[in-house]
Amino acid sequence: MNTSLSEESITLQRAAHELMYLGTDGSPVYSDELSRRNGEVYRLTTALYSSLAKGATTEEQANVCLALLMGYSASFIDHGEKQEHVQQVLNRCWDILNELPVSLLKLRLLTACYGEVFDEPLADEARKIISSWNGSSLTAEQREAIEEFQNVVANPYPWEEVDE
């Protein structure tokens, strides 16, 4: 991945992750900090999306798509374009997922896609990746990705109807 595109993708992934998990460690969340981080994630997401950068390899494309999906998911700013942009990113993901080898990146992209569409074949493929790994020798990144996948599967709150 060219350095600039790689840096943009990783920066957005980190910022989105930090925003999504802000306060989950028990620390207080202040409105100005939440607003600042949300604005930063939105700015990074918009910049990466607007650059039309896709990446030269399947892995590069997957990292860009993952960063965009994470950014759109984490940020609550929407000027009316968000769902269209998410759908365009998802459309890119379908081809990428077919080419991407079994890896941590593929699990993370499957999780992000599943979190948008809640399509069970995506979850099934993620489960196959997880079951192919040796549970006793998982890396910290693999454990975190598995936990995030399990959280998305267990909490599909955007699509649940609440009976009152």
Side-chain angles (χ1 to χ4, degrees), residues 12-25 29 34 37-38 41 66-76 108 111-112 116 144 148 151-152 157:
L12 175 52
Q13 288 177 24
R14 276 194 198 119
H17 186 271
E18 289 171 5
L19 178 59
M20 284 191 277
Y21 291 94
L22 187 64
T24 60
D25 61 355
V29 177
L34 177 62
R37 287 180 184 243
N38 184 58
V41 168
L66 177 60
L68 289 169
L69 290 175
M70 288 176 70
Y72 284 122
S73 178
S75 175
F76 49 84
R108 294 182 72 212
T111 300
E116 292 295 330
E144 182 179 337
E148 190 168 321
N151 184 43
V152 170
Y157 56 86

PDB file of all heavy atoms in Angstrom, residues 12-25 29 34 37-38 41 66-76 108 111-112 116 144 148 151-152 157:
ATOM      1  N   LEU A  12      -7.331   6.267  10.391  1.00  0.00           N
ATOM      2  CA  LEU A  12      -8.789   6.232  10.510  1.00  0.00           C
ATOM      3  C   LEU A  12      -9.242   5.023  11.325  1.00  0.00           C
ATOM      4  O   LEU A  12     -10.123   5.151  12.179  1.00  0.00           O
ATOM      5  CB  LEU A  12      -9.448   6.223   9.128  1.00  0.00           C
ATOM      6  CG  LEU A  12     -10.975   6.079   9.107  1.00  0.00           C
ATOM      7  CD1 LEU A  12     -11.658   7.107  10.007  1.00  0.00           C
ATOM      8  CD2 LEU A  12     -11.484   6.177   7.675  1.00  0.00           C
ATOM      9  N   GLN A  13      -8.649   3.859  11.095  1.00  0.00           N
ATOM     10  CA  GLN A  13      -9.028   2.674  11.872  1.00  0.00           C
ATOM     11  C   GLN A  13      -8.802   2.913  13.363  1.00  0.00           C
ATOM     12  O   GLN A  13      -9.659   2.595  14.191  1.00  0.00           O
ATOM     13  CB  GLN A  13      -8.255   1.450  11.405  1.00  0.00           C
ATOM     14  CG  GLN A  13      -8.708   0.927  10.054  1.00  0.00           C
ATOM     15  CD  GLN A  13      -7.877  -0.242   9.564  1.00  0.00           C
ATOM     16  OE1 GLN A  13      -7.262  -0.956  10.351  1.00  0.00           O
ATOM     17  NE2 GLN A  13      -7.857  -0.445   8.260  1.00  0.00           N
ATOM     18  N   ARG A  14      -7.672   3.481  13.713  1.00  0.00           N
ATOM     19  CA  ARG A  14      -7.369   3.759  15.131  1.00  0.00           C
ATOM     20  C   ARG A  14      -8.350   4.767  15.722  1.00  0.00           C
ATOM     21  O   ARG A  14      -8.868   4.573  16.823  1.00  0.00           O
ATOM     22  CB  ARG A  14      -5.944   4.283  15.282  1.00  0.00           C
ATOM     23  CG  ARG A  14      -4.919   3.216  15.357  1.00  0.00           C
ATOM     24  CD  ARG A  14      -3.584   3.764  15.843  1.00  0.00           C
ATOM     25  NE  ARG A  14      -2.551   2.810  15.491  1.00  0.00           N
ATOM     26  CZ  ARG A  14      -1.528   3.050  14.694  1.00  0.00           C
ATOM     27  NH1 ARG A  14      -1.352   4.250  14.181  1.00  0.00           N
ATOM     28  NH2 ARG A  14      -0.659   2.116  14.417  1.00  0.00           N
ATOM     29  N   ALA A  15      -8.561   5.862  14.995  1.00  0.00           N
ATOM     30  CA  ALA A  15      -9.454   6.914  15.501  1.00  0.00           C
ATOM     31  C   ALA A  15     -10.876   6.385  15.669  1.00  0.00           C
ATOM     32  O   ALA A  15     -11.547   6.683  16.667  1.00  0.00           O
ATOM     33  CB  ALA A  15      -9.432   8.115  14.560  1.00  0.00           C
ATOM     34  N   ALA A  16     -11.352   5.598  14.702  1.00  0.00           N
ATOM     35  CA  ALA A  16     -12.703   5.033  14.791  1.00  0.00           C
ATOM     36  C   ALA A  16     -12.792   4.056  15.959  1.00  0.00           C
ATOM     37  O   ALA A  16     -13.778   4.059  16.705  1.00  0.00           O
ATOM     38  CB  ALA A  16     -13.076   4.342  13.480  1.00  0.00           C
ATOM     39  N   HIS A  17     -11.778   3.229  16.134  1.00  0.00           N
ATOM     40  CA  HIS A  17     -11.759   2.273  17.237  1.00  0.00           C
ATOM     41  C   HIS A  17     -11.799   3.009  18.576  1.00  0.00           C
ATOM     42  O   HIS A  17     -12.560   2.639  19.478  1.00  0.00           O
ATOM     43  CB  HIS A  17     -10.519   1.391  17.141  1.00  0.00           C
ATOM     44  CG  HIS A  17     -10.486   0.290  18.150  1.00  0.00           C
ATOM     45  ND1 HIS A  17      -9.928   0.448  19.406  1.00  0.00           N
ATOM     46  CD2 HIS A  17     -10.949  -0.978  18.105  1.00  0.00           C
ATOM     47  CE1 HIS A  17     -10.044  -0.669  20.078  1.00  0.00           C
ATOM     48  NE2 HIS A  17     -10.666  -1.562  19.320  1.00  0.00           N
ATOM     49  N   GLU A  18     -10.984   4.056  18.703  1.00  0.00           N
ATOM     50  CA  GLU A  18     -10.962   4.825  19.951  1.00  0.00           C
ATOM     51  C   GLU A  18     -12.319   5.478  20.220  1.00  0.00           C
ATOM     52  O   GLU A  18     -12.783   5.503  21.360  1.00  0.00           O
ATOM     53  CB  GLU A  18      -9.857   5.884  19.895  1.00  0.00           C
ATOM     54  CG  GLU A  18      -8.467   5.295  19.976  1.00  0.00           C
ATOM     55  CD  GLU A  18      -7.367   6.302  19.697  1.00  0.00           C
ATOM     56  OE1 GLU A  18      -7.666   7.512  19.530  1.00  0.00           O
ATOM     57  OE2 GLU A  18      -6.197   5.880  19.642  1.00  0.00           O
ATOM     58  N   LEU A  19     -12.967   5.999  19.168  1.00  0.00           N
ATOM     59  CA  LEU A  19     -14.278   6.619  19.339  1.00  0.00           C
ATOM     60  C   LEU A  19     -15.322   5.573  19.736  1.00  0.00           C
ATOM     61  O   LEU A  19     -16.122   5.803  20.630  1.00  0.00           O
ATOM     62  CB  LEU A  19     -14.704   7.339  18.051  1.00  0.00           C
ATOM     63  CG  LEU A  19     -16.086   8.002  18.066  1.00  0.00           C
ATOM     64  CD1 LEU A  19     -16.196   9.041  19.175  1.00  0.00           C
ATOM     65  CD2 LEU A  19     -16.381   8.626  16.704  1.00  0.00           C
ATOM     66  N   MET A  20     -15.292   4.406  19.069  1.00  0.00           N
ATOM     67  CA  MET A  20     -16.277   3.360  19.379  1.00  0.00           C
ATOM     68  C   MET A  20     -16.155   2.867  20.814  1.00  0.00           C
ATOM     69  O   MET A  20     -17.142   2.488  21.428  1.00  0.00           O
ATOM     70  CB  MET A  20     -16.126   2.181  18.418  1.00  0.00           C
ATOM     71  CG  MET A  20     -16.680   2.452  17.045  1.00  0.00           C
ATOM     72  SD  MET A  20     -16.790   0.967  16.020  1.00  0.00           S
ATOM     73  CE  MET A  20     -15.127   0.844  15.404  1.00  0.00           C
ATOM     74  N   TYR A  21     -14.943   2.868  21.352  1.00  0.00           N
ATOM     75  CA  TYR A  21     -14.726   2.321  22.691  1.00  0.00           C
ATOM     76  C   TYR A  21     -14.466   3.396  23.733  1.00  0.00           C
ATOM     77  O   TYR A  21     -14.069   3.088  24.857  1.00  0.00           O
ATOM     78  CB  TYR A  21     -13.585   1.294  22.659  1.00  0.00           C
ATOM     79  CG  TYR A  21     -14.008   0.054  21.904  1.00  0.00           C
ATOM     80  CD1 TYR A  21     -13.728  -0.093  20.553  1.00  0.00           C
ATOM     81  CD2 TYR A  21     -14.750  -0.935  22.534  1.00  0.00           C
ATOM     82  CE1 TYR A  21     -14.157  -1.208  19.849  1.00  0.00           C
ATOM     83  CE2 TYR A  21     -15.179  -2.057  21.838  1.00  0.00           C
ATOM     84  CZ  TYR A  21     -14.872  -2.183  20.496  1.00  0.00           C
ATOM     85  OH  TYR A  21     -15.301  -3.291  19.802  1.00  0.00           O
ATOM     86  N   LEU A  22     -14.749   4.636  23.398  1.00  0.00           N
ATOM     87  CA  LEU A  22     -14.563   5.746  24.320  1.00  0.00           C
ATOM     88  C   LEU A  22     -15.418   5.531  25.578  1.00  0.00           C
ATOM     89  O   LEU A  22     -16.616   5.315  25.503  1.00  0.00           O
ATOM     90  CB  LEU A  22     -14.965   7.063  23.634  1.00  0.00           C
ATOM     91  CG  LEU A  22     -14.676   8.351  24.378  1.00  0.00           C
ATOM     92  CD1 LEU A  22     -13.168   8.534  24.563  1.00  0.00           C
ATOM     93  CD2 LEU A  22     -15.236   9.540  23.600  1.00  0.00           C
ATOM     94  N   GLY A  23     -14.762   5.542  26.710  1.00  0.00           N
ATOM     95  CA  GLY A  23     -15.465   5.413  27.985  1.00  0.00           C
ATOM     96  C   GLY A  23     -15.734   3.994  28.430  1.00  0.00           C
ATOM     97  O   GLY A  23     -16.195   3.779  29.551  1.00  0.00           O
ATOM     98  N   THR A  24     -15.454   3.008  27.595  1.00  0.00           N
ATOM     99  CA  THR A  24     -15.748   1.630  27.997  1.00  0.00           C
ATOM    100  C   THR A  24     -14.792   1.124  29.069  1.00  0.00           C
ATOM    101  O   THR A  24     -15.052   0.092  29.675  1.00  0.00           O
ATOM    102  CB  THR A  24     -15.723   0.664  26.786  1.00  0.00           C
ATOM    103  OG1 THR A  24     -14.427   0.694  26.186  1.00  0.00           O
ATOM    104  CG2 THR A  24     -16.791   1.026  25.777  1.00  0.00           C
ATOM    105  N   ASP A  25     -13.725   1.865  29.295  1.00  0.00           N
ATOM    106  CA  ASP A  25     -12.789   1.479  30.352  1.00  0.00           C
ATOM    107  C   ASP A  25     -13.189   2.065  31.701  1.00  0.00           C
ATOM    108  O   ASP A  25     -12.479   1.948  32.683  1.00  0.00           O
ATOM    109  CB  ASP A  25     -11.374   1.931  29.989  1.00  0.00           C
ATOM    110  CG  ASP A  25     -11.260   3.444  29.836  1.00  0.00           C
ATOM    111  OD1 ASP A  25     -12.294   4.153  29.924  1.00  0.00           O
ATOM    112  OD2 ASP A  25     -10.128   3.926  29.626  1.00  0.00           O
ATOM    113  N   VAL A  29     -16.711  10.292  30.022  1.00  0.00           N
ATOM    114  CA  VAL A  29     -16.750  10.787  28.651  1.00  0.00           C
ATOM    115  C   VAL A  29     -17.314  12.201  28.703  1.00  0.00           C
ATOM    116  O   VAL A  29     -18.455  12.399  29.118  1.00  0.00           O
ATOM    117  CB  VAL A  29     -17.630   9.882  27.751  1.00  0.00           C
ATOM    118  CG1 VAL A  29     -17.707  10.451  26.350  1.00  0.00           C
ATOM    119  CG2 VAL A  29     -17.106   8.453  27.739  1.00  0.00           C
ATOM    120  N   LEU A  34     -15.943  13.926  23.176  1.00  0.00           N
ATOM    121  CA  LEU A  34     -16.745  13.107  22.264  1.00  0.00           C
ATOM    122  C   LEU A  34     -16.975  13.842  20.950  1.00  0.00           C
ATOM    123  O   LEU A  34     -16.797  13.279  19.873  1.00  0.00           O
ATOM    124  CB  LEU A  34     -18.080  12.744  22.913  1.00  0.00           C
ATOM    125  CG  LEU A  34     -19.060  11.951  22.053  1.00  0.00           C
ATOM    126  CD1 LEU A  34     -18.482  10.597  21.665  1.00  0.00           C
ATOM    127  CD2 LEU A  34     -20.385  11.784  22.785  1.00  0.00           C
ATOM    128  N   ARG A  37     -13.607  14.067  18.926  1.00  0.00           N
ATOM    129  CA  ARG A  37     -13.239  12.784  18.322  1.00  0.00           C
ATOM    130  C   ARG A  37     -14.198  12.406  17.197  1.00  0.00           C
ATOM    131  O   ARG A  37     -13.792  11.883  16.171  1.00  0.00           O
ATOM    132  CB  ARG A  37     -13.207  11.679  19.383  1.00  0.00           C
ATOM    133  CG  ARG A  37     -12.016  11.774  20.299  1.00  0.00           C
ATOM    134  CD  ARG A  37     -12.054  10.650  21.321  1.00  0.00           C
ATOM    135  NE  ARG A  37     -10.988  10.751  22.277  1.00  0.00           N
ATOM    136  CZ  ARG A  37     -10.032   9.841  22.407  1.00  0.00           C
ATOM    137  NH1 ARG A  37     -10.028   8.771  21.651  1.00  0.00           N
ATOM    138  NH2 ARG A  37      -9.090   9.996  23.310  1.00  0.00           N
ATOM    139  N   ASN A  38     -15.480  12.652  17.402  1.00  0.00           N
ATOM    140  CA  ASN A  38     -16.470  12.347  16.377  1.00  0.00           C
ATOM    141  C   ASN A  38     -16.200  13.174  15.118  1.00  0.00           C
ATOM    142  O   ASN A  38     -16.234  12.652  14.008  1.00  0.00           O
ATOM    143  CB  ASN A  38     -17.877  12.616  16.906  1.00  0.00           C
ATOM    144  CG  ASN A  38     -18.925  12.209  15.906  1.00  0.00           C
ATOM    145  OD1 ASN A  38     -18.991  11.071  15.492  1.00  0.00           O
ATOM    146  ND2 ASN A  38     -19.744  13.167  15.504  1.00  0.00           N
ATOM    147  N   VAL A  41     -13.083  11.755  13.329  1.00  0.00           N
ATOM    148  CA  VAL A  41     -13.372  10.517  12.594  1.00  0.00           C
ATOM    149  C   VAL A  41     -14.160  10.833  11.322  1.00  0.00           C
ATOM    150  O   VAL A  41     -13.872  10.298  10.253  1.00  0.00           O
ATOM    151  CB  VAL A  41     -14.126   9.493  13.485  1.00  0.00           C
ATOM    152  CG1 VAL A  41     -14.695   8.346  12.661  1.00  0.00           C
ATOM    153  CG2 VAL A  41     -13.191   8.961  14.567  1.00  0.00           C
ATOM    154  N   LEU A  66     -12.180  -1.418   5.199  1.00  0.00           N
ATOM    155  CA  LEU A  66     -12.338  -1.597   6.642  1.00  0.00           C
ATOM    156  C   LEU A  66     -12.296  -0.243   7.352  1.00  0.00           C
ATOM    157  O   LEU A  66     -13.140   0.044   8.204  1.00  0.00           O
ATOM    158  CB  LEU A  66     -11.245  -2.518   7.197  1.00  0.00           C
ATOM    159  CG  LEU A  66     -11.250  -2.722   8.706  1.00  0.00           C
ATOM    160  CD1 LEU A  66     -12.560  -3.341   9.183  1.00  0.00           C
ATOM    161  CD2 LEU A  66     -10.060  -3.584   9.119  1.00  0.00           C
ATOM    162  N   ALA A  67     -11.341   0.592   6.991  1.00  0.00           N
ATOM    163  CA  ALA A  67     -11.233   1.909   7.613  1.00  0.00           C
ATOM    164  C   ALA A  67     -12.500   2.724   7.367  1.00  0.00           C
ATOM    165  O   ALA A  67     -13.034   3.350   8.294  1.00  0.00           O
ATOM    166  CB  ALA A  67     -10.007   2.649   7.068  1.00  0.00           C
ATOM    167  N   LEU A  68     -13.009   2.711   6.136  1.00  0.00           N
ATOM    168  CA  LEU A  68     -14.214   3.478   5.822  1.00  0.00           C
ATOM    169  C   LEU A  68     -15.428   2.961   6.584  1.00  0.00           C
ATOM    170  O   LEU A  68     -16.192   3.747   7.152  1.00  0.00           O
ATOM    171  CB  LEU A  68     -14.474   3.462   4.313  1.00  0.00           C
ATOM    172  CG  LEU A  68     -13.493   4.283   3.476  1.00  0.00           C
ATOM    173  CD1 LEU A  68     -13.675   3.989   1.987  1.00  0.00           C
ATOM    174  CD2 LEU A  68     -13.649   5.770   3.760  1.00  0.00           C
ATOM    175  N   LEU A  69     -15.606   1.642   6.621  1.00  0.00           N
ATOM    176  CA  LEU A  69     -16.751   1.084   7.353  1.00  0.00           C
ATOM    177  C   LEU A  69     -16.653   1.397   8.844  1.00  0.00           C
ATOM    178  O   LEU A  69     -17.655   1.734   9.482  1.00  0.00           O
ATOM    179  CB  LEU A  69     -16.873  -0.418   7.119  1.00  0.00           C
ATOM    180  CG  LEU A  69     -17.318  -0.831   5.716  1.00  0.00           C
ATOM    181  CD1 LEU A  69     -17.278  -2.348   5.571  1.00  0.00           C
ATOM    182  CD2 LEU A  69     -18.712  -0.296   5.394  1.00  0.00           C
ATOM    183  N   MET A  70     -15.455   1.303   9.393  1.00  0.00           N
ATOM    184  CA  MET A  70     -15.269   1.627  10.810  1.00  0.00           C
ATOM    185  C   MET A  70     -15.570   3.104  11.057  1.00  0.00           C
ATOM    186  O   MET A  70     -16.214   3.460  12.041  1.00  0.00           O
ATOM    187  CB  MET A  70     -13.842   1.299  11.259  1.00  0.00           C
ATOM    188  CG  MET A  70     -13.551  -0.175  11.366  1.00  0.00           C
ATOM    189  SD  MET A  70     -11.819  -0.507  11.796  1.00  0.00           S
ATOM    190  CE  MET A  70     -11.792   0.061  13.518  1.00  0.00           C
ATOM    191  N   GLY A  71     -15.094   3.960  10.164  1.00  0.00           N
ATOM    192  CA  GLY A  71     -15.319   5.391  10.320  1.00  0.00           C
ATOM    193  C   GLY A  71     -16.786   5.748  10.254  1.00  0.00           C
ATOM    194  O   GLY A  71     -17.291   6.504  11.094  1.00  0.00           O
ATOM    195  N   TYR A  72     -17.485   5.205   9.252  1.00  0.00           N
ATOM    196  CA  TYR A  72     -18.913   5.505   9.143  1.00  0.00           C
ATOM    197  C   TYR A  72     -19.696   4.928  10.316  1.00  0.00           C
ATOM    198  O   TYR A  72     -20.663   5.528  10.784  1.00  0.00           O
ATOM    199  CB  TYR A  72     -19.478   4.984   7.816  1.00  0.00           C
ATOM    200  CG  TYR A  72     -19.107   5.854   6.631  1.00  0.00           C
ATOM    201  CD1 TYR A  72     -18.417   5.335   5.550  1.00  0.00           C
ATOM    202  CD2 TYR A  72     -19.446   7.207   6.598  1.00  0.00           C
ATOM    203  CE1 TYR A  72     -18.079   6.131   4.466  1.00  0.00           C
ATOM    204  CE2 TYR A  72     -19.112   8.008   5.523  1.00  0.00           C
ATOM    205  CZ  TYR A  72     -18.427   7.469   4.456  1.00  0.00           C
ATOM    206  OH  TYR A  72     -18.094   8.264   3.393  1.00  0.00           O
ATOM    207  N   SER A  73     -19.282   3.781  10.805  1.00  0.00           N
ATOM    208  CA  SER A  73     -19.968   3.163  11.931  1.00  0.00           C
ATOM    209  C   SER A  73     -19.751   3.954  13.223  1.00  0.00           C
ATOM    210  O   SER A  73     -20.670   4.112  14.025  1.00  0.00           O
ATOM    211  CB  SER A  73     -19.479   1.726  12.112  1.00  0.00           C
ATOM    212  OG  SER A  73     -20.080   1.123  13.219  1.00  0.00           O
ATOM    213  N   ALA A  74     -18.548   4.447  13.422  1.00  0.00           N
ATOM    214  CA  ALA A  74     -18.218   5.134  14.678  1.00  0.00           C
ATOM    215  C   ALA A  74     -18.789   6.542  14.744  1.00  0.00           C
ATOM    216  O   ALA A  74     -19.219   6.987  15.802  1.00  0.00           O
ATOM    217  CB  ALA A  74     -16.702   5.184  14.857  1.00  0.00           C
ATOM    218  N   SER A  75     -18.789   7.236  13.625  1.00  0.00           N
ATOM    219  CA  SER A  75     -19.218   8.637  13.625  1.00  0.00           C
ATOM    220  C   SER A  75     -20.732   8.738  13.540  1.00  0.00           C
ATOM    221  O   SER A  75     -21.372   8.024  12.786  1.00  0.00           O
ATOM    222  CB  SER A  75     -18.600   9.374  12.436  1.00  0.00           C
ATOM    223  OG  SER A  75     -19.105  10.689  12.368  1.00  0.00           O
ATOM    224  N   PHE A  76     -21.301   9.633  14.310  1.00  0.00           N
ATOM    225  CA  PHE A  76     -22.748   9.822  14.243  1.00  0.00           C
ATOM    226  C   PHE A  76     -23.116  11.036  13.404  1.00  0.00           C
ATOM    227  O   PHE A  76     -24.263  11.440  13.357  1.00  0.00           O
ATOM    228  CB  PHE A  76     -23.395   9.865  15.630  1.00  0.00           C
ATOM    229  CG  PHE A  76     -22.741  10.783  16.616  1.00  0.00           C
ATOM    230  CD1 PHE A  76     -23.042  12.135  16.640  1.00  0.00           C
ATOM    231  CD2 PHE A  76     -21.828  10.284  17.528  1.00  0.00           C
ATOM    232  CE1 PHE A  76     -22.449  12.973  17.558  1.00  0.00           C
ATOM    233  CE2 PHE A  76     -21.223  11.127  18.456  1.00  0.00           C
ATOM    234  CZ  PHE A  76     -21.532  12.475  18.476  1.00  0.00           C
ATOM    235  N   ARG A 108     -11.729  -9.165  10.285  1.00  0.00           N
ATOM    236  CA  ARG A 108     -12.120  -7.800  10.650  1.00  0.00           C
ATOM    237  C   ARG A 108     -13.060  -7.194   9.598  1.00  0.00           C
ATOM    238  O   ARG A 108     -14.035  -6.527   9.946  1.00  0.00           O
ATOM    239  CB  ARG A 108     -10.884  -6.929  10.854  1.00  0.00           C
ATOM    240  CG  ARG A 108     -10.068  -7.387  12.071  1.00  0.00           C
ATOM    241  CD  ARG A 108      -8.867  -6.521  12.329  1.00  0.00           C
ATOM    242  NE  ARG A 108      -9.331  -5.241  12.854  1.00  0.00           N
ATOM    243  CZ  ARG A 108      -8.721  -4.084  12.638  1.00  0.00           C
ATOM    244  NH1 ARG A 108      -7.628  -4.025  11.914  1.00  0.00           N
ATOM    245  NH2 ARG A 108      -9.206  -2.977  13.156  1.00  0.00           N
ATOM    246  N   THR A 111     -16.453  -8.822   9.862  1.00  0.00           N
ATOM    247  CA  THR A 111     -17.155  -8.280  11.025  1.00  0.00           C
ATOM    248  C   THR A 111     -17.765  -6.921  10.702  1.00  0.00           C
ATOM    249  O   THR A 111     -18.928  -6.663  11.033  1.00  0.00           O
ATOM    250  CB  THR A 111     -16.197  -8.166  12.228  1.00  0.00           C
ATOM    251  OG1 THR A 111     -15.691  -9.468  12.546  1.00  0.00           O
ATOM    252  CG2 THR A 111     -16.886  -7.584  13.445  1.00  0.00           C
ATOM    253  N   ALA A 112     -16.989  -6.060  10.056  1.00  0.00           N
ATOM    254  CA  ALA A 112     -17.493  -4.725   9.699  1.00  0.00           C
ATOM    255  C   ALA A 112     -18.662  -4.823   8.725  1.00  0.00           C
ATOM    256  O   ALA A 112     -19.663  -4.116   8.876  1.00  0.00           O
ATOM    257  CB  ALA A 112     -16.368  -3.878   9.109  1.00  0.00           C
ATOM    258  N   GLU A 116     -23.042  -4.101   9.255  1.00  0.00           N
ATOM    259  CA  GLU A 116     -23.883  -3.237   8.416  1.00  0.00           C
ATOM    260  C   GLU A 116     -25.105  -3.958   7.878  1.00  0.00           C
ATOM    261  O   GLU A 116     -26.175  -3.379   7.785  1.00  0.00           O
ATOM    262  CB  GLU A 116     -23.072  -2.671   7.240  1.00  0.00           C
ATOM    263  CG  GLU A 116     -22.003  -1.688   7.639  1.00  0.00           C
ATOM    264  CD  GLU A 116     -22.555  -0.414   8.260  1.00  0.00           C
ATOM    265  OE1 GLU A 116     -23.682  -0.005   7.911  1.00  0.00           O
ATOM    266  OE2 GLU A 116     -21.848   0.173   9.094  1.00  0.00           O
ATOM    267  N   GLU A 144      -8.798  -9.838  20.184  1.00  0.00           N
ATOM    268  CA  GLU A 144      -9.607  -8.629  20.105  1.00  0.00           C
ATOM    269  C   GLU A 144     -10.589  -8.708  18.934  1.00  0.00           C
ATOM    270  O   GLU A 144     -11.757  -8.342  19.075  1.00  0.00           O
ATOM    271  CB  GLU A 144      -8.710  -7.396  19.944  1.00  0.00           C
ATOM    272  CG  GLU A 144      -9.496  -6.101  19.908  1.00  0.00           C
ATOM    273  CD  GLU A 144      -8.607  -4.871  19.761  1.00  0.00           C
ATOM    274  OE1 GLU A 144      -7.415  -4.933  20.109  1.00  0.00           O
ATOM    275  OE2 GLU A 144      -9.128  -3.849  19.287  1.00  0.00           O
ATOM    276  N   GLU A 148     -14.619  -8.661  19.182  1.00  0.00           N
ATOM    277  CA  GLU A 148     -15.414  -7.675  18.446  1.00  0.00           C
ATOM    278  C   GLU A 148     -16.464  -8.369  17.572  1.00  0.00           C
ATOM    279  O   GLU A 148     -17.615  -7.949  17.525  1.00  0.00           O
ATOM    280  CB  GLU A 148     -14.497  -6.807  17.578  1.00  0.00           C
ATOM    281  CG  GLU A 148     -15.203  -5.620  16.986  1.00  0.00           C
ATOM    282  CD  GLU A 148     -14.225  -4.629  16.384  1.00  0.00           C
ATOM    283  OE1 GLU A 148     -13.147  -4.405  16.958  1.00  0.00           O
ATOM    284  OE2 GLU A 148     -14.566  -4.076  15.327  1.00  0.00           O
ATOM    285  N   ASN A 151     -19.221  -9.639  19.757  1.00  0.00           N
ATOM    286  CA  ASN A 151     -20.029  -8.516  20.231  1.00  0.00           C
ATOM    287  C   ASN A 151     -21.020  -8.061  19.150  1.00  0.00           C
ATOM    288  O   ASN A 151     -22.186  -7.805  19.441  1.00  0.00           O
ATOM    289  CB  ASN A 151     -19.126  -7.360  20.653  1.00  0.00           C
ATOM    290  CG  ASN A 151     -19.899  -6.213  21.247  1.00  0.00           C
ATOM    291  OD1 ASN A 151     -20.811  -6.411  22.048  1.00  0.00           O
ATOM    292  ND2 ASN A 151     -19.554  -5.004  20.847  1.00  0.00           N
ATOM    293  N   VAL A 152     -20.562  -7.963  17.910  1.00  0.00           N
ATOM    294  CA  VAL A 152     -21.443  -7.536  16.816  1.00  0.00           C
ATOM    295  C   VAL A 152     -22.557  -8.559  16.602  1.00  0.00           C
ATOM    296  O   VAL A 152     -23.715  -8.200  16.410  1.00  0.00           O
ATOM    297  CB  VAL A 152     -20.633  -7.294  15.523  1.00  0.00           C
ATOM    298  CG1 VAL A 152     -21.546  -7.094  14.329  1.00  0.00           C
ATOM    299  CG2 VAL A 152     -19.710  -6.093  15.683  1.00  0.00           C
ATOM    300  N   TYR A 157     -28.142  -4.354  17.644  1.00  0.00           N
ATOM    301  CA  TYR A 157     -29.122  -3.376  18.094  1.00  0.00           C
ATOM    302  C   TYR A 157     -29.688  -2.470  17.005  1.00  0.00           C
ATOM    303  O   TYR A 157     -30.809  -2.059  17.114  1.00  0.00           O
ATOM    304  CB  TYR A 157     -28.602  -2.553  19.264  1.00  0.00           C
ATOM    305  CG  TYR A 157     -27.296  -1.842  19.004  1.00  0.00           C
ATOM    306  CD1 TYR A 157     -27.277  -0.586  18.411  1.00  0.00           C
ATOM    307  CD2 TYR A 157     -26.089  -2.429  19.333  1.00  0.00           C
ATOM    308  CE1 TYR A 157     -26.082   0.054  18.144  1.00  0.00           C
ATOM    309  CE2 TYR A 157     -24.893  -1.788  19.081  1.00  0.00           C
ATOM    310  CZ  TYR A 157     -24.901  -0.545  18.491  1.00  0.00           C
ATOM    311  OH  TYR A 157     -23.720   0.084  18.235  1.00  0.00           O
TER     312      TYR A 157
END
